[in-house]
Amino acid sequence: MPGFELWGDEERKEVNEVLETGILMRYGFDSLRKGIWKSKELEAAICKRFGARYAQLTSSGTSALTTAFAALGIGAGDEVIMPSFTFVASFESVLSVGATPVLVDVDETLTMNPESVKKAISSKTKAIVPVHMCGSMADLDALLTITKEHNLILLEDACQSIGASYKGRAVGTIGHAGTFSFDFVKIMTCGEGGVVLTNDESVYIKCDGYTDHGHDHKGGADRGADQHPFIGYNYRISELHAAVGLAQVRKLDSFLDIQRRNHGYLKNILSNVPEITFRTIPDPDGDSCTFLSWFLPTEEITRNVVNELKGQGALAGNFYWYDNNWHYIRKWDHLKNYVSLHALNNDQQAALKKLQTQDFSASDAVMGRCVSTAISLLWSEEQIRERGEKIVGAIKKLLGEQSIPACVKLHLPT
Ligand SMILES: *Cc1c(COP(=O)(O)O)cnc(C)c1O
Protein backbone atom coordinates (compact mmCIF):
# COMPACT_ATOMS: atom_id res chain seq x y z
CA MET A 1 0.00 0.00 0.00
CA PRO A 2 2.30 2.82 1.08
CA GLY A 3 4.56 4.90 -1.15
CA PHE A 4 6.73 5.65 1.89
CA GLU A 5 8.19 2.16 1.50
CA LEU A 6 10.04 3.36 -1.59
CA TRP A 7 11.25 6.71 -0.22
CA GLY A 8 14.50 7.64 -1.91
CA ASP A 9 16.77 10.09 -3.66
CA GLU A 10 13.93 11.39 -5.85
CA GLU A 11 12.03 12.69 -2.80
CA ARG A 12 15.20 14.05 -1.18
CA LYS A 13 16.10 15.99 -4.33
CA GLU A 14 12.68 17.69 -4.52
CA VAL A 15 12.67 18.57 -0.81
CA ASN A 16 16.23 19.89 -1.02
CA GLU A 17 15.27 22.31 -3.77
CA VAL A 18 12.77 23.86 -1.37
CA LEU A 19 15.27 23.84 1.50
CA GLU A 20 17.76 25.69 -0.70
CA THR A 21 15.42 28.65 -1.13
CA GLY A 22 13.89 28.43 2.36
CA ILE A 23 10.48 29.46 0.97
CA LEU A 24 8.24 26.84 2.55
CA MET A 25 4.93 28.55 1.73
CA ARG A 26 3.08 27.83 -1.48
CA TYR A 27 1.92 31.42 -2.12
CA GLY A 28 3.82 34.67 -2.48
CA PHE A 29 7.51 35.51 -1.97
CA ASP A 30 7.85 35.47 -5.75
CA SER A 31 11.28 37.05 -5.98
CA LEU A 32 12.84 34.92 -3.21
CA ARG A 33 11.64 31.52 -4.39
CA LYS A 34 13.79 31.37 -7.52
CA GLY A 35 11.07 29.87 -9.65
CA ILE A 36 10.40 26.96 -7.26
CA TRP A 37 6.63 26.32 -7.02
CA LYS A 38 6.29 22.69 -5.90
CA SER A 39 2.59 22.89 -5.02
CA LYS A 40 1.63 24.35 -8.40
CA GLU A 41 3.84 21.79 -10.13
CA LEU A 42 2.25 18.92 -8.20
CA GLU A 43 -1.26 20.18 -9.02
CA ALA A 44 -0.37 20.22 -12.73
CA ALA A 45 1.16 16.73 -12.50
CA ILE A 46 -1.97 15.42 -10.75
CA CYS A 47 -4.28 16.91 -13.40
CA LYS A 48 -2.19 15.25 -16.10
CA ARG A 49 -1.83 11.83 -14.47
CA PHE A 50 -5.46 11.44 -13.44
CA GLY A 51 -7.20 13.33 -16.24
CA ALA A 52 -8.85 15.97 -14.07
CA ARG A 53 -9.28 19.52 -15.28
CA TYR A 54 -8.51 21.06 -11.86
CA ALA A 55 -6.67 20.01 -8.70
CA GLN A 56 -6.47 21.89 -5.40
CA LEU A 57 -3.92 20.61 -2.91
CA THR A 58 -4.82 20.71 0.79
CA SER A 59 -3.16 19.97 4.13
CA SER A 60 -4.80 16.50 4.43
CA GLY A 61 -7.37 14.18 2.93
CA THR A 62 -9.76 15.21 5.69
CA SER A 63 -9.41 18.90 4.82
CA ALA A 64 -9.78 17.98 1.13
CA LEU A 65 -13.19 16.46 1.95
CA THR A 66 -14.18 19.47 4.09
CA THR A 67 -13.10 21.81 1.29
CA ALA A 68 -15.03 19.82 -1.32
CA PHE A 69 -18.21 19.89 0.79
CA ALA A 70 -17.91 23.65 1.24
CA ALA A 71 -17.18 24.26 -2.45
CA LEU A 72 -20.15 22.11 -3.44
CA GLY A 73 -22.38 24.19 -1.16
CA ILE A 74 -23.13 21.47 1.38
CA GLY A 75 -23.80 22.65 4.92
CA ALA A 76 -26.29 22.93 7.78
CA GLY A 77 -29.58 21.14 7.13
CA ASP A 78 -28.16 19.03 4.29
CA GLU A 79 -27.94 15.26 4.58
CA VAL A 80 -24.92 13.46 3.18
CA ILE A 81 -25.16 9.72 2.53
CA MET A 82 -21.96 7.84 3.40
CA PRO A 83 -21.07 4.17 3.98
CA SER A 84 -20.84 2.36 7.34
CA PHE A 85 -17.35 1.11 6.40
CA THR A 86 -14.92 3.96 5.74
CA PHE A 87 -12.39 6.03 7.64
CA VAL A 88 -13.55 8.37 10.45
CA ALA A 89 -12.64 11.33 8.20
CA SER A 90 -15.91 10.74 6.32
CA PHE A 91 -18.16 11.78 9.18
CA GLU A 92 -15.63 14.26 10.60
CA SER A 93 -15.65 16.28 7.38
CA VAL A 94 -19.46 16.13 7.03
CA LEU A 95 -19.90 17.34 10.61
CA SER A 96 -17.26 20.04 10.19
CA VAL A 97 -19.34 21.90 7.57
CA GLY A 98 -22.51 21.59 9.70
CA ALA A 99 -24.08 18.90 7.50
CA THR A 100 -25.72 15.68 8.69
CA PRO A 101 -24.17 12.27 8.03
CA VAL A 102 -26.56 9.48 7.06
CA LEU A 103 -24.94 6.04 7.13
CA VAL A 104 -25.88 3.20 4.81
CA ASP A 105 -24.88 -0.45 4.49
CA VAL A 106 -21.99 -1.80 2.47
CA ASP A 107 -22.10 -4.97 0.37
CA GLU A 108 -19.39 -7.37 -0.82
CA THR A 109 -17.81 -4.58 -2.87
CA LEU A 110 -16.87 -3.19 0.61
CA THR A 111 -18.44 0.06 -0.60
CA MET A 112 -21.93 1.51 -0.29
CA ASN A 113 -24.77 -0.67 -1.50
CA PRO A 114 -26.75 1.33 -4.11
CA GLU A 115 -30.04 -0.22 -2.88
CA SER A 116 -29.31 1.02 0.66
CA VAL A 117 -28.52 4.45 -0.75
CA LYS A 118 -31.91 4.61 -2.49
CA LYS A 119 -33.71 3.77 0.76
CA ALA A 120 -31.82 6.50 2.65
CA ILE A 121 -32.73 9.38 0.31
CA SER A 122 -34.95 12.04 1.90
CA SER A 123 -36.02 15.56 0.96
CA LYS A 124 -32.92 16.81 2.80
CA THR A 125 -30.40 14.64 0.94
CA LYS A 126 -27.87 16.79 -0.90
CA ALA A 127 -24.95 14.48 -1.67
CA ILE A 128 -23.84 10.89 -1.92
CA VAL A 129 -20.24 10.13 -0.93
CA PRO A 130 -19.03 6.71 -2.07
CA VAL A 131 -15.74 5.76 -0.45
CA HIS A 132 -13.52 3.70 -2.73
CA MET A 133 -12.19 1.58 0.12
CA CYS A 134 -9.04 -0.50 0.19
CA GLY A 135 -7.78 0.28 -3.28
CA SER A 136 -10.85 -0.72 -5.26
CA MET A 137 -13.99 1.15 -6.27
CA ALA A 138 -17.73 1.57 -5.72
CA ASP A 139 -20.34 0.71 -8.34
CA LEU A 140 -20.24 4.19 -9.86
CA ASP A 141 -22.70 3.55 -12.70
CA ALA A 142 -25.40 2.56 -10.23
CA LEU A 143 -24.62 5.54 -7.99
CA LEU A 144 -24.52 8.01 -10.90
CA THR A 145 -27.93 6.77 -12.01
CA ILE A 146 -29.26 7.53 -8.52
CA THR A 147 -27.65 10.98 -8.30
CA LYS A 148 -29.00 11.94 -11.73
CA GLU A 149 -32.49 10.71 -10.95
CA HIS A 150 -32.63 12.61 -7.65
CA ASN A 151 -30.52 15.60 -8.72
CA LEU A 152 -27.85 14.97 -6.06
CA ILE A 153 -24.15 15.68 -5.84
CA LEU A 154 -21.67 12.80 -6.14
CA LEU A 155 -18.44 13.36 -4.21
CA GLU A 156 -15.96 10.48 -4.50
CA ASP A 157 -13.72 9.80 -1.51
CA ALA A 158 -10.84 8.14 -3.38
CA CYS A 159 -8.35 8.73 -0.55
CA GLN A 160 -7.46 5.02 -0.43
CA SER A 161 -7.60 4.33 -4.16
CA ILE A 162 -5.14 6.68 -5.83
CA GLY A 163 -4.47 5.22 -9.28
CA ALA A 164 -7.55 2.99 -9.37
CA SER A 165 -9.90 3.46 -12.31
CA TYR A 166 -13.48 2.69 -13.25
CA LYS A 167 -14.16 1.86 -16.90
CA GLY A 168 -11.02 3.67 -18.00
CA ARG A 169 -11.37 6.84 -15.90
CA ALA A 170 -9.45 7.55 -12.70
CA VAL A 171 -11.58 7.24 -9.58
CA GLY A 172 -11.92 10.68 -8.02
CA THR A 173 -12.53 12.32 -11.42
CA ILE A 174 -15.94 10.82 -12.19
CA GLY A 175 -18.26 12.60 -9.73
CA HIS A 176 -18.77 16.36 -9.28
CA ALA A 177 -15.55 16.27 -7.26
CA GLY A 178 -13.23 13.71 -5.72
CA THR A 179 -10.53 13.60 -3.07
CA PHE A 180 -7.20 11.85 -2.49
CA SER A 181 -5.23 11.67 0.75
CA PHE A 182 -1.46 11.84 0.73
CA ASP A 183 -1.03 10.99 4.41
CA PHE A 184 1.89 8.81 5.38
CA VAL A 185 0.31 5.41 4.71
CA LYS A 186 -1.49 6.14 1.45
CA ILE A 187 -0.56 4.80 -2.02
CA MET A 188 1.49 7.92 -2.62
CA THR A 189 2.42 10.23 0.22
CA CYS A 190 3.38 13.84 0.92
CA GLY A 191 3.92 13.04 4.62
CA GLU A 192 0.61 14.87 5.11
CA GLY A 193 -1.57 16.26 2.35
CA GLY A 194 -4.59 15.83 0.15
CA VAL A 195 -6.21 17.08 -3.01
CA VAL A 196 -9.63 17.94 -4.39
CA LEU A 197 -10.13 16.99 -8.04
CA THR A 198 -12.89 18.48 -10.16
CA ASN A 199 -13.73 19.27 -13.76
CA ASP A 200 -15.91 22.20 -12.70
CA GLU A 201 -14.09 25.53 -12.77
CA SER A 202 -16.41 27.25 -10.28
CA VAL A 203 -15.95 24.41 -7.76
CA TYR A 204 -12.18 24.66 -8.22
CA ILE A 205 -12.11 28.44 -7.68
CA LYS A 206 -14.04 27.97 -4.44
CA CYS A 207 -11.59 25.26 -3.29
CA ASP A 208 -8.66 27.54 -4.11
CA GLY A 209 -10.03 30.34 -1.93
CA TYR A 210 -11.49 28.20 0.85
CA THR A 211 -8.14 26.54 1.62
CA ASP A 212 -6.44 29.95 1.93
CA HIS A 213 -8.63 32.17 4.15
CA GLY A 214 -10.87 33.07 1.24
CA HIS A 215 -8.08 34.73 -0.81
CA ASP A 216 -9.10 35.17 -4.44
CA HIS A 217 -5.41 35.10 -5.50
CA LYS A 218 -6.02 37.96 -7.91
CA GLY A 219 -3.66 40.43 -6.21
CA GLY A 220 -0.62 39.21 -8.14
CA ALA A 221 2.63 39.07 -6.17
CA ASP A 222 1.03 41.13 -3.34
CA ARG A 223 -1.02 38.85 -1.09
CA GLY A 224 -2.29 41.98 0.66
CA ALA A 225 -4.03 43.00 -2.56
CA ASP A 226 -6.11 39.78 -2.72
CA GLN A 227 -9.84 40.15 -2.05
CA HIS A 228 -11.91 37.83 0.16
CA PRO A 229 -15.15 37.09 -1.68
CA PHE A 230 -16.16 34.48 0.95
CA ILE A 231 -15.04 33.06 4.30
CA GLY A 232 -12.26 30.51 4.14
CA TYR A 233 -9.86 28.66 6.43
CA ASN A 234 -6.23 27.61 6.31
CA TYR A 235 -6.04 24.16 4.77
CA ARG A 236 -2.89 24.91 2.77
CA ILE A 237 -0.23 22.34 1.98
CA SER A 238 3.41 23.40 2.50
CA GLU A 239 6.03 23.39 -0.23
CA LEU A 240 8.01 20.71 1.64
CA HIS A 241 5.05 18.33 1.59
CA ALA A 242 4.26 19.11 -2.04
CA ALA A 243 7.89 18.43 -2.97
CA VAL A 244 7.61 14.90 -1.55
CA GLY A 245 4.38 14.37 -3.48
CA LEU A 246 5.96 15.50 -6.73
CA ALA A 247 8.59 12.76 -6.49
CA GLN A 248 5.92 10.24 -5.46
CA VAL A 249 3.44 10.98 -8.25
CA ARG A 250 6.20 10.31 -10.78
CA LYS A 251 6.74 6.89 -9.17
CA LEU A 252 3.05 6.06 -8.76
CA ASP A 253 2.78 3.85 -11.82
CA SER A 254 5.74 1.78 -10.70
CA PHE A 255 4.09 1.41 -7.25
CA LEU A 256 0.90 0.23 -8.95
CA ASP A 257 2.80 -2.30 -11.10
CA ILE A 258 4.44 -3.81 -8.02
CA GLN A 259 1.16 -3.88 -6.10
CA ARG A 260 -0.64 -5.61 -8.95
CA ARG A 261 2.09 -8.24 -9.28
CA ASN A 262 2.27 -8.97 -5.53
CA HIS A 263 -1.52 -8.98 -5.23
CA GLY A 264 -1.69 -11.51 -8.09
CA TYR A 265 0.77 -13.89 -6.40
CA LEU A 266 -1.06 -13.77 -3.09
CA LYS A 267 -4.47 -14.17 -4.69
CA ASN A 268 -3.24 -17.28 -6.52
CA ILE A 269 -2.19 -18.86 -3.22
CA LEU A 270 -5.43 -18.01 -1.38
CA SER A 271 -7.47 -19.23 -4.35
CA ASN A 272 -6.45 -22.77 -3.39
CA VAL A 273 -8.74 -22.58 -0.36
CA PRO A 274 -12.31 -23.33 -1.48
CA GLU A 275 -13.75 -21.62 1.64
CA ILE A 276 -12.22 -18.27 0.64
CA THR A 277 -14.17 -15.92 -1.59
CA PHE A 278 -12.92 -12.56 -2.78
CA ARG A 279 -14.31 -9.06 -2.72
CA THR A 280 -16.61 -8.10 -5.60
CA ILE A 281 -14.87 -5.49 -7.74
CA PRO A 282 -17.09 -3.46 -10.10
CA ASP A 283 -14.18 -3.03 -12.58
CA PRO A 284 -11.46 -5.61 -11.81
CA ASP A 285 -9.06 -4.06 -14.36
CA GLY A 286 -9.16 -0.81 -12.41
CA ASP A 287 -8.21 -2.24 -8.99
CA SER A 288 -5.14 -0.46 -7.57
CA CYS A 289 -4.41 -3.72 -5.69
CA THR A 290 -3.27 -1.99 -2.54
CA PHE A 291 -5.15 -4.64 -0.53
CA LEU A 292 -6.36 -8.16 -1.20
CA SER A 293 -9.73 -8.45 0.57
CA TRP A 294 -11.18 -11.90 1.19
CA PHE A 295 -14.10 -13.51 2.98
CA LEU A 296 -14.60 -16.68 5.01
CA PRO A 297 -17.98 -18.39 5.34
CA THR A 298 -18.94 -17.14 8.84
CA GLU A 299 -17.99 -14.49 11.37
CA GLU A 300 -17.00 -17.22 13.83
CA ILE A 301 -14.59 -18.90 11.42
CA THR A 302 -13.12 -15.55 10.42
CA ARG A 303 -12.60 -14.45 14.01
CA ASN A 304 -10.94 -17.78 14.85
CA VAL A 305 -8.62 -17.55 11.85
CA VAL A 306 -7.67 -14.00 12.84
CA ASN A 307 -6.97 -15.17 16.40
CA GLU A 308 -4.96 -18.12 15.11
CA LEU A 309 -2.80 -15.78 12.97
CA LYS A 310 -2.42 -13.47 15.95
CA GLY A 311 -1.30 -16.40 18.13
CA GLN A 312 1.33 -17.28 15.53
CA GLY A 313 2.53 -13.66 15.42
CA ALA A 314 1.43 -13.56 11.77
CA LEU A 315 -1.47 -11.11 11.90
CA ALA A 316 0.51 -7.96 10.95
CA GLY A 317 -0.70 -6.62 7.61
CA ASN A 318 -4.00 -8.56 7.82
CA PHE A 319 -6.84 -6.26 8.84
CA TYR A 320 -10.05 -7.46 10.50
CA TRP A 321 -12.00 -4.21 10.09
CA TYR A 322 -15.01 -5.53 12.02
CA ASP A 323 -13.18 -4.97 15.31
CA ASN A 324 -11.33 -1.85 14.17
CA ASN A 325 -12.32 1.46 15.78
CA TRP A 326 -11.21 3.72 12.91
CA HIS A 327 -13.04 2.15 10.05
CA TYR A 328 -16.37 0.60 10.97
CA ILE A 329 -19.57 1.88 12.62
CA ARG A 330 -19.60 -0.91 15.24
CA LYS A 331 -16.82 0.68 17.30
CA TRP A 332 -17.57 4.36 16.64
CA ASP A 333 -18.90 5.02 20.14
CA HIS A 334 -17.79 8.66 20.12
CA LEU A 335 -19.93 9.21 17.02
CA LYS A 336 -22.98 7.26 18.23
CA ASN A 337 -22.85 9.12 21.58
CA TYR A 338 -22.16 12.40 19.70
CA VAL A 339 -19.29 13.29 21.99
CA SER A 340 -18.19 16.58 20.48
CA LEU A 341 -16.03 19.27 22.07
CA HIS A 342 -18.36 21.92 20.67
CA ALA A 343 -22.12 21.95 20.22
CA LEU A 344 -23.46 20.11 17.19
CA ASN A 345 -26.59 21.45 15.52
CA ASN A 346 -29.98 19.85 16.20
CA ASP A 347 -30.15 17.96 12.91
CA GLN A 348 -26.70 16.49 13.51
CA GLN A 349 -27.53 15.44 17.07
CA ALA A 350 -30.78 13.78 16.03
CA ALA A 351 -29.06 11.89 13.19
CA LEU A 352 -26.24 10.63 15.39
CA LYS A 353 -28.64 9.51 18.08
CA LYS A 354 -30.43 7.42 15.46
CA LEU A 355 -27.20 5.53 14.79
CA GLN A 356 -27.45 3.97 18.25
CA THR A 357 -30.39 1.85 17.12
CA GLN A 358 -29.99 1.74 13.32
CA ASP A 359 -29.83 -1.80 11.95
CA PHE A 360 -26.46 -2.47 10.33
CA SER A 361 -26.88 -6.25 10.21
CA ALA A 362 -26.39 -6.29 6.41
CA SER A 363 -23.01 -4.55 6.85
CA ASP A 364 -22.14 -6.80 9.81
CA ALA A 365 -22.82 -9.87 7.65
CA VAL A 366 -20.15 -8.64 5.21
CA MET A 367 -17.60 -7.07 7.53
CA GLY A 368 -17.69 -9.86 10.12
CA ARG A 369 -16.35 -12.25 7.47
CA CYS A 370 -13.82 -9.94 5.81
CA VAL A 371 -10.06 -9.75 6.12
CA SER A 372 -7.97 -7.34 4.03
CA THR A 373 -4.32 -8.12 3.49
CA ALA A 374 -2.24 -5.01 2.79
CA ILE A 375 0.06 -5.49 -0.20
CA SER A 376 3.62 -4.35 0.47
CA LEU A 377 5.85 -2.88 -2.22
CA LEU A 378 8.86 -4.53 -0.60
CA TRP A 379 7.82 -8.19 -0.52
CA SER A 380 9.94 -10.81 -2.24
CA GLU A 381 8.16 -13.70 -3.95
CA GLU A 382 9.35 -15.90 -1.09
CA GLN A 383 7.81 -13.58 1.51
CA ILE A 384 4.50 -13.56 -0.35
CA ARG A 385 4.47 -17.36 -0.42
CA GLU A 386 5.23 -17.54 3.30
CA ARG A 387 2.48 -15.04 4.08
CA GLY A 388 -0.04 -16.83 1.90
CA GLU A 389 0.82 -20.23 3.32
CA LYS A 390 0.39 -18.97 6.90
CA ILE A 391 -3.13 -17.80 6.07
CA VAL A 392 -3.97 -21.04 4.26
CA GLY A 393 -2.49 -23.08 7.12
CA ALA A 394 -4.52 -21.22 9.76
CA ILE A 395 -7.74 -21.76 7.82
CA LYS A 396 -7.08 -25.48 7.22
CA LYS A 397 -6.19 -26.01 10.88
CA LEU A 398 -9.37 -24.35 12.13
CA LEU A 399 -11.77 -25.77 9.61
CA GLY A 400 -10.60 -29.21 10.64
CA GLU A 401 -11.42 -28.52 14.29
CA GLN A 402 -14.65 -26.63 14.61
CA SER A 403 -18.20 -27.36 13.67
CA ILE A 404 -18.60 -26.18 10.12
CA PRO A 405 -21.95 -25.39 8.54
CA ALA A 406 -23.04 -28.14 6.14
CA CYS A 407 -22.73 -25.89 3.10
CA VAL A 408 -19.09 -25.30 3.94
CA LYS A 409 -18.36 -28.97 4.71
CA LEU A 410 -19.26 -29.85 1.15
CA HIS A 411 -16.29 -27.86 -0.08
CA LEU A 412 -13.71 -29.32 2.32
CA PRO A 413 -10.82 -31.05 0.66
CA THR A 414 -10.95 -34.80 1.27
C1 LIG B 1 -6.93 8.47 4.83
C2 LIG B 1 -8.36 8.69 4.51
C3 LIG B 1 -8.97 9.95 4.61
C4 LIG B 1 -8.34 11.14 5.24
O1 LIG B 1 -7.09 11.43 4.91
P1 LIG B 1 -6.04 12.14 5.91
O2 LIG B 1 -5.06 12.65 4.91
O3 LIG B 1 -5.48 11.09 6.82
O4 LIG B 1 -6.75 13.23 6.62
C5 LIG B 1 -10.27 10.08 4.19
N1 LIG B 1 -10.97 9.04 3.72
C6 LIG B 1 -10.43 7.81 3.64
C7 LIG B 1 -11.26 6.69 3.11
C8 LIG B 1 -9.13 7.59 4.05
O5 LIG B 1 -8.62 6.37 4.00
Side-chain angles (χ1 to χ4, degrees), residues 60-62 65 86-87 89 131 133 157 159-160 181-183 186 193:
S60 70
T62 308
L65 284 165
T86 174
F87 180 54
V131 183
M133 282 301 277
D157 179 343
C159 287
Q160 291 196 9
S181 162
F182 303 128
D183 80 22
K186 294 306 204 278

Side-chain angles (χ1 to χ4, degrees), residues 21 23 27-37 220-222:
T21 66
I23 304 302
Y27 297 114
F29 304 94
D30 295 33
S31 60
L32 295 173
R33 61 195 313 139
K34 304 195 174 118
I36 306 279
W37 299 89
D222 179 7

Side-chain angles (χ1 to χ4, degrees), residues 199-257:
N199 293 319
D200 182 329
E201 186 181 16
S202 71
V203 171
Y204 162 69
I205 289 170
K206 288 171 189 162
C207 292
D208 177 60
Y210 189 79
T211 51
D212 187 24
H213 303 295
H215 278 254
D216 66 0
H217 300 135
K218 287 181 179 165
D222 179 7
R223 258 174 86 70
D226 288 350
Q227 299 296 309
H228 302 88
F230 50 79
I231 297 168
Y233 297 89
N234 178 1
Y235 293 138
R236 294 186 303 254
I237 194 165
S238 83
E239 285 286 276
L240 289 171
H241 293 91
V244 175
L246 197 51
Q248 290 259 308
V249 76
R250 293 181 187 134
K251 302 202 281 193
L252 175 67
D253 286 306
S254 66
F255 297 165
L256 294 169
D257 286 347

